[in-house]
Amino acid sequence: MTKKSPKILLIYTGGTIGMIKDYETGALKAFDFDQLLERIPELSQLDCEIETISFERPIDSSNMNTSYWVKIAGIIEAHYDHFDGFVVLHGSDTMSYTASALSFMLENLAKPVILTGSQLPIGDLRTDAKENLITSIQIAGLQERGRPKICEVCLYFEYKLYRGNRTTKINAEHFEAFASLNYPPLAESGVHLKVYDEYLLQPNRRKKLQVHYQLEDNISLIKLFPGINESTMRCIMLADHVKAFVLETFGAGNAPTQEWFLQLIKEANLQGKIIINVTQCSGGSVNMGQYETSESLKRLGVISGKDITTEAALAKLMYLMGAEVGAKVFKTIYETPLRGEMSQN
Ligand code: ASP
């Protein structure tokens, strides 16, 4: 029996990767993804069948929002049975947020969803777009015993494949624009494409893909800084429409111990607001109770984000609140890794 080539769906949402330079005018213009093979003939060397879908109006990823996440998840669900893998082309600015959101929205995912983009447009002489695109497609087509090898939402950039919900954009101009400080890369591309099997999420293939479209966006993010005052905190924490917020604290989850600050946490609690503690350090974990300055947060029932990224913390909050998870179990569920976004302990 002849082996069938994997079918990959390329979803173009926008961003620098989709641009080419008009050499007459020097201006950047959108690239017609239907002509992908013509523009990047190297793609025909890949043993894959590639189809493309493009947003009607591609966006700069600074305009990304929950409606676009619903749209991307909808495209994946509609084509799930007909493709072996998905590559989402996305601006790099908010790619980690989208990767995190999709990871929660796509429950029981048993196929790869690889997000990629580039720092330079595809038509630029020194572009990083071609390598990012070609290797992402190659990774999305990896099979083992006739089934997709990678079964999670990933982000591929500059020779490294990461778990998407573990990434953060760390550089606005280097080709190495992303980092995953609390989880190792899932694969590295050099002379060989090396996949680190031990770090991959194992899917439960008996369960069907379930796509969650309800996301709660009445949430907020507060980054603490020395000198933040009560009025500012009160405005954000106790705003009527804010149902939950992520508090970016210092170091291992530490916050001021002043009475006004703890009083605000108590008031927010009384109003039924959910509070997640994440660290503003790029790596490492929240450990409430390690210092006196986090002991009170622990006592007041603040939820630990452990070693989650801020991007994934926000996405997980939107997803669990959208799913209307009850107040009694919210803390336990939030503190449990659902898609490999945080460590067990
Ligand atoms: N501003 C662009 C975007 O995020 C940058 C990029 O594509 O990398 O859409």
Side-chain angles (χ1 to χ4, degrees), residues 14-17 59-63 90-95 117-120 157 169:
T16 305
I17 192 166
I59 58 161
D60 184 292
S61 79
S62 303
N63 285 318
H90 193 289
S92 62
D93 289 349
T94 61
M95 199 188 292
S118 66
Q119 293 284 55
L120 285 176
F157 223 87
K169 184 169 181 185

Side-chain angles (χ1 to χ4, degrees), residues 139-254:
I139 291 172
L142 288 178
Q143 304 253 314
E144 201 170 63
R145 280 179 260 127
R147 295 189 304 209
K149 183 168 175 68
I150 289 164
C151 302
E152 54 181 297
V153 178
C154 302
L155 186 153
Y156 182 81
F157 223 87
E158 191 61 5
Y159 304 109
K160 289 205 178 87
L161 181 76
Y162 302 106
R163 173 164 303 151
N165 58 28
R166 290 290 197 152
T167 61
T168 302
K169 184 169 181 185
I170 49 143
N171 201 298
E173 44 194 64
H174 288 175
F175 284 151
E176 194 164 348
F178 290 87
S180 164
L181 286 167
N182 287 333
Y183 201 76
L186 305 179
E188 278 177 277
S189 143
V191 173
H192 302 287
L193 183 58
K194 175 96 191 78
V195 180
Y196 303 112
D197 292 15
E198 62 277 30
Y199 298 130
L200 300 178
L201 270 187
Q202 294 309 323
N204 183 344
R205 294 184 204 270
R206 283 190 304 259
K207 290 198 174 162
K208 251 184 94 196
L209 175 77
Q210 200 185 341
V211 185
H212 300 273
Y213 292 104
Q214 292 307 324
L215 297 170
E216 173 60 67
D217 61 5
N218 285 307
I219 65 165
S220 190
L221 168 65
I222 310 172
K223 181 170 186 152
L224 293 182
F225 57 90
I228 193 166
N229 68 25
E230 182 176 355
S231 330
T232 307
M233 288 290 283
R234 180 173 288 278
C235 268
I236 313 174
M237 283 170 68
L238 301 184
D240 280 347
H241 71 283
V242 173
K243 296 185 182 159
F245 53 89
V246 171
L247 196 62
E248 266 199 5
T249 56
F250 308 120
N254 306 313

Side-chain angles (χ1 to χ4, degrees), residues 10 26 87 100 167 195 199 229 231 239 267 271 278 310 315 331 344:
L10 203 62
V87 173
S100 299
T167 61
V195 180
Y199 298 130
N229 68 25
S231 330
E267 281 179 50
Q271 293 179 10
V278 305
T310 297
K331 182 171 168 33
Q344 282 289 348

Side-chain angles (χ1 to χ4, degrees), residues 283-329:
S285 180
V286 161
N287 182 1
M288 284 192 284
Q290 184 184 359
Y291 288 90
E292 196 195 348
T293 42
S294 62
E295 182 59 48
S296 332
L297 298 183
K298 187 176 182 176
R299 215 173 357 93
L300 292 171
V302 168
I303 297 174
S304 173
K306 302 183 186 179
D307 62 352
I308 200 167
T309 61
T310 297
E311 293 87 335
L314 290 165
K316 190 171 185 176
L317 195 52
M318 287 181 167
Y319 157 64
L320 289 180
M321 293 194 63
E324 293 178 8
V325 169
K328 277 196 190 139
V329 288

